[in-house]
Amino acid sequence: QYSDAALAVLLWSSPSTPEEVVDPITFHGLNASTYVKICFANITKVARWTTGNLFDENGWPLTDAQLFIAEGMDYADGTYLMQFNGKARLISDNSTIFTVGGTQYVNTLPLGVGYNPASNVTTALMKRNASSSGYIRFLDTSPDGAAPTNRGVTNVKLARPLEPGTNVPHRIDAVSYLPFNQAVSVYTCLRWLEIANVRPAFGTWADRTRPSHMKFLNSVNNTNAGECWEYFIMLANEAGKDLFITMPMQADNEYFTKMALLLKYGSDGNEPYTSFQAHPVYPPLNPNLRVYFEVGNEIWNWGFGSTQYAQDQSYWEVQNDTPEGRMISYDGFKSKGIYLVRRWHAVRTV
């Protein structure tokens, strides 16, 4: 009677997991780092300060400053939900309308409008008619709402429109950008590898980028170590995708141990928990999702600092007759170069 092919799909969901197929038939991964500019609901995570010469350890300005947003993006128009800690007068380009309590302000949000002294939070809607990049100047700034001014603000969040051009923004606490989730729906796994390529100086857990940092890539004065693992875990949870992590080649043993704890138990934003938490500040990876580990990326590519590190470290292990050095020079081979690097890379991965 029916000519169409039969089809049965088994789905499941939980309070923290969107409805999804229980398990894919095939594995289909994506180098998601390529699309990092469009994966976060909060566009500040991929913005940058273009003025201001003093910043705190988390990349927030200690003076008046200008934020450059939507750099290299298209379809960045629509209504954003803005929040930040402190008080400021805002000036944007001539395609912006701020709205607070139903009152519109063209290009300029007056000092104190939208500011709640009880919470020390300024809130406003920001409609952008430009589809590409623009700026927001934070002037007469006060991080606590008190005098004197020109002291900066913190925790700036710009929740994007649910889709380009619309007047309904994401929730202020949303992690993943809805169109990104829709775009990656055909994939089963998201791979993050930026830190493995361009951050060879960061190899300890203390160096890693914490969730409190203003942004996660190419930070102000290179004060952070690239990708923030808590956010990529949350993004994988929201998107319902397996997580492929390319660890930095220079990561020490503590880094690997704490990364495993973070994935299993979550973290308080600084350190991973060591046991189950009913209400973790940052959640672990949903147990229905898989995690894949890779140590370093393209450790044959001499253009990457991680490969240079691997060459120096493998030679150091041999010259200092360490346990790993003895393993990789088991046959007496001790020459500095790619063959020694490959042996050490294999041992380190195991």
Side-chain angles (χ1 to χ4, degrees):
Q1 183 178 358
Y2 298 104
S3 59
D4 292 343
L7 176 67
V9 179
L10 183 61
L11 302 167
W12 88 295
S13 65
S14 77
S16 61
T17 308
E19 188 176 72
E20 60 182 325
V21 175
V22 169
D23 205 19
I25 297 175
T26 59
F27 177 91
H28 194 187
L30 173 73
N31 268 340
S33 293
T34 305
Y35 308 99
V36 70
K37 285 189 175 182
I38 60 169
C39 72
F40 294 119
N42 176 12
I43 202 172
T44 306
K45 291 302 180 187
V46 290
R48 63 187 175 95
W49 299 103
T50 55
T51 65
N53 55 9
L54 292 175
F55 299 89
D56 68 14
E57 62 180 1
N58 289 315
W60 300 112
L62 297 172
T63 63
D64 291 355
Q66 177 174 289
L67 185 67
F68 191 51
I69 63 172
E71 184 175 13
M73 300 182 195
D74 295 320
Y75 312 112
D77 55 327
T79 298
Y80 293 70
L81 174 58
M82 168 186 280
Q83 278 192 358
F84 59 88
N85 288 114
K87 185 191 294 186
R89 174 169 57 93
L90 306 184
I91 297 178
S92 190
D93 50 43
N94 57 13
S95 60
T96 302
I97 298 175
F98 297 100
T99 302
V100 175
T103 301
Q104 293 186 341
Y105 304 88
V106 179
N107 303 332
T108 299
L109 184 68
L111 179 65
V113 174
Y115 177 69
N116 182 340
S119 62
N120 189 38
V121 172
T122 296
T123 304
L125 293 175
M126 184 185 77
K127 183 174 182 179
R128 300 188 72 248
N129 295 310
S131 62
S132 57
S133 60
Y135 66 85
I136 307 169
R137 293 175 186 161
F138 291 78
L139 304 174
D140 305 325
T141 54
S142 170
D144 52 14
T149 59
N150 193 25
R151 294 187 291 126
V153 295
T154 61
N155 298 324
V156 180
K157 297 178 181 178
L158 285 169
R160 300 187 192 203
L162 286 177
E163 60 183 54
T166 66
N167 291 322
V168 180
H170 285 72
R171 287 175 27 166
I172 201 67
D173 60 350
V175 175
S176 57
Y177 182 42
L178 181 59
F180 174 79
N181 284 355
Q182 295 168 340
V184 300
S185 62
V186 298
Y187 298 96
T188 62
C189 182
L190 302 179
R191 180 186 184 222
W192 305 99
L193 57 85
E194 187 71 18
I195 189 174
N197 287 349
V198 300
R199 299 282 179 173
F202 297 96
T204 67
W205 189 255
D207 290 332
R208 74 185 191 89
T209 299
R210 289 167 172 75
S212 56
H213 206 282
M214 174 255 181
K215 64 181 298 186
F216 301 150
L217 294 175
N218 303 321
S219 70
V220 175
N221 299 326
N222 290 329
T223 54
N224 72 340
E227 294 155 335
C228 174
W229 301 127
E230 281 93 340
Y231 264 75
F232 287 123
I233 288 172
M234 291 190 294
L235 194 146
N237 288 346
E238 286 193 3
K241 304 300 175 184
D242 295 337
L243 185 60
F244 190 130
I245 292 175
T246 303
M247 295 285 283
M249 189 77 217
Q250 64 281 9
D252 58 18
N253 290 343
E254 180 191 39
Y255 201 122
F256 281 95
T257 300
K258 290 190 173 182
M259 187 70 200
L261 291 171
L262 169 61
L263 286 158
K264 187 169 186 178
Y265 300 120
S267 89
D268 63 5
N270 290 305
E271 294 294 330
Y273 300 114
T274 57
S275 63
F276 172 80
Q277 305 292 312
H279 302 287
V281 177
Y282 293 95
L285 187 69
N286 281 343
N288 66 297
L289 299 176
R290 294 181 176 89
V291 60
Y292 299 89
F293 276 104
E294 176 185 27
V295 182
N297 174 63
E298 295 188 7
I299 303 304
W300 47 264
N301 188 333
W302 297 107
F304 290 150
S306 52
T307 301
Q308 303 294 336
Y309 170 86
Q311 176 178 248
D312 294 339
Q313 186 65 25
S314 59
Y315 187 65
W316 183 91
E317 300 281 358
V318 169
Q319 294 302 307
N320 288 274
D321 197 33
T322 66
E324 287 191 356
R326 288 192 291 273
M327 279 190 282
I328 64 178
S329 63
Y330 67 92
D331 58 356
F333 184 85
K334 297 185 178 183
S335 299
K336 188 175 185 178
I338 190 62
Y339 294 108
L340 203 63
V341 166
R342 288 173 177 169
R343 292 180 177 191
W344 181 74
H345 190 194
V347 169
R348 190 69 185 131
T349 300
V350 172

